[in-house]
Amino acid sequence: MQQTILEIKNLSKNYGETVALAGFSLDLARGEVLGLLGPNGAGKTTLISILSGTLRGFTGSVRFLGQDLFADRRLKNRIGVVPQEMAFYEDLSAMENLMFWGGLYDIAGKERKRRAQELLERVELSARAREPVKKFSGGMKRRLNIAIGLIHRPELLLLDEPTVGIDVQAKVSILDIIRGVGGQGTSVVFTTHQLAEVEQTCSRIAIMDQGAVLAAGTLAELIRIVGEKEIVEVSGPFSADAFSEGIRRLNGDGMEILSVADGLAMLAFADSQRIPAMLQHLFQNRLAVADLKIKSPNLEAVFLKMTGRSLRD
């Protein structure tokens, strides 16, 4: 059985009347890569800020390695943080940045240099190690950001949307790095609103919205929430209200409405033979359908079922 290294219980945080976290609870095992999936405003960044010690004024408890995370400052030296914002000096080289940040953790000079060289190799920046970071591409800067978060060999790595604003190739590289970190025994929590990122990278996924965890488990476990159903995506020149009204009588009769927006709806069918009847019902209500796609149960369907809305909302 894997050792639990992080235990979050009933974490709550408000910004005035705005609820950022509402009884957030979650456990993390050693070496586990947990993807925290949620739309913008779900509370992901607030959670990372609390765990990294940069945000106060909350209630609830966080235990790390069996101890109160906030009672012993030394525990924070065993956590690595990669924020959305770039945390380095643009005029310094990649090597100089790693040496500087490693010094803040009191890593001895020779050991610090050795770790910096290993990390630059790991994030594929060795060839550019001596260049000013301001010459780097967005993807290279993101990789350096991760290397800095790993310089002190943390037991827990927190990443807040580490692939924002970079191209597809750079995303693939960063997700490979995250998988490798978990494979070497470091526990990882990374936040995202990209379904594909957690599907490709995580050993476990937590879906959150409005400051709380709605469901958590492996991809297979989450998909079982939807069950053995056909997922149907319907698009066309209809409004959300018109579609909802047109389909209302069929809801519950072997069909479940997962989400409805202007021009796009997602439905789940226990029996695919009900799909033609649904189409006929729409046509009878003068709702035009431009396209219809039938999919197997997937993470998107789970997210829609749990939150009632799309990540695009």
Side-chain angles (χ1 to χ4, degrees), residues 192-262:
T192 182
H193 58 273
Q194 300 293 325
L195 292 162
E197 290 186 2
V198 295
E199 289 177 323
Q200 297 166 14
T201 311
C202 301
S203 52
R204 194 159 63 102
I205 302 164
I207 295 174
M208 71 175 296
D209 196 18
Q210 298 181 355
V213 174
L214 304 182
T218 65
L219 179 59
E221 288 169 344
L222 291 178
I223 287 175
R224 283 200 288 271
I225 293 173
V226 178
E228 299 296 325
K229 295 183 179 181
E230 299 282 1
I231 307 303
V232 177
E233 182 180 280
V234 181
S235 60
F238 48 75
S239 69
D241 289 342
F243 188 94
S244 296
E245 180 59 28
I247 207 75
R248 178 176 55 82
R249 293 181 182 177
L250 295 180
N251 193 26
D253 186 16
M255 184 199 78
E256 179 183 3
I257 299 174
L258 297 178
S259 72
V260 180
D262 291 342

Side-chain angles (χ1 to χ4, degrees), residues 66-80:
Q67 302 176 60
D68 182 348
L69 175 61
F70 309 107
D72 187 345
R73 294 182 62 85
R74 291 173 298 179
L75 286 175
K76 294 179 182 177
N77 288 339
R78 300 167 80 172
I79 297 176

Side-chain angles (χ1 to χ4, degrees), residues 77-284:
N77 288 339
R78 300 167 80 172
I79 297 176
V81 182
V82 182
Q84 282 190 45
E85 300 77 15
M86 302 299 186
F88 47 67
Y89 294 100
E90 295 251 348
D91 289 331
L92 299 182
S93 69
M95 174 60 79
E96 288 169 337
N97 268 287
L98 284 166
M99 291 296 288
F100 171 79
W101 291 102
L104 297 181
Y105 289 100
D106 295 325
I107 304 171
K110 289 185 178 179
E111 174 65 11
R112 196 189 326 162
K113 185 175 181 180
R114 188 181 67 80
R115 290 191 196 179
Q117 290 171 334
E118 287 180 354
L119 284 167
L120 287 169
E121 183 72 28
R122 188 172 185 177
V123 300
E124 301 178 355
L125 290 175
S126 293
R128 308 286 293 272
R130 303 295 177 180
E131 292 184 31
V133 174
K134 61 187 177 184
K135 295 184 178 181
F136 285 8
S137 67
M140 293 167 67
K141 290 179 178 179
R142 287 286 175 192
R143 298 204 302 273
L144 176 59
N145 221 29
I146 293 175
I148 290 170
L150 291 169
I151 188 65
H152 57 301
R153 291 182 177 167
E155 294 179 64
L156 170 64
L157 182 65
L158 308 172
L159 304 105
D160 192 10
E161 303 208 18
T163 62
V164 168
I166 58 176
D167 60 38
V168 173
Q169 186 175 358
K171 285 185 180 184
V172 170
S173 177
I174 287 174
L175 296 178
D176 282 342
I177 292 169
I178 293 172
R179 279 192 294 268
V181 169
Q184 292 186 344
T186 299
S187 302
V188 179
V189 176
F190 90 93
T191 72
T192 182
H193 58 273
Q194 300 293 325
L195 292 162
E197 290 186 2
V198 295
E199 289 177 323
Q200 297 166 14
T201 311
C202 301
S203 52
R204 194 159 63 102
I205 302 164
I207 295 174
M208 71 175 296
D209 196 18
Q210 298 181 355
V213 174
L214 304 182
T218 65
L219 179 59
E221 288 169 344
L222 291 178
I223 287 175
R224 283 200 288 271
I225 293 173
V226 178
E228 299 296 325
K229 295 183 179 181
E230 299 282 1
I231 307 303
V232 177
E233 182 180 280
V234 181
S235 60
F238 48 75
S239 69
D241 289 342
F243 188 94
S244 296
E245 180 59 28
I247 207 75
R248 178 176 55 82
R249 293 181 182 177
L250 295 180
N251 193 26
D253 186 16
M255 184 199 78
E256 179 183 3
I257 299 174
L258 297 178
S259 72
V260 180
D262 291 342
L264 184 67
M266 193 81 76
L267 313 169
F269 287 83
D271 183 355
S272 60
Q273 294 182 1
R274 298 288 300 165
I275 297 174
M278 178 270 294
L279 284 173
Q280 183 178 6
H281 193 77
L282 292 176
F283 295 149
Q284 289 173 347

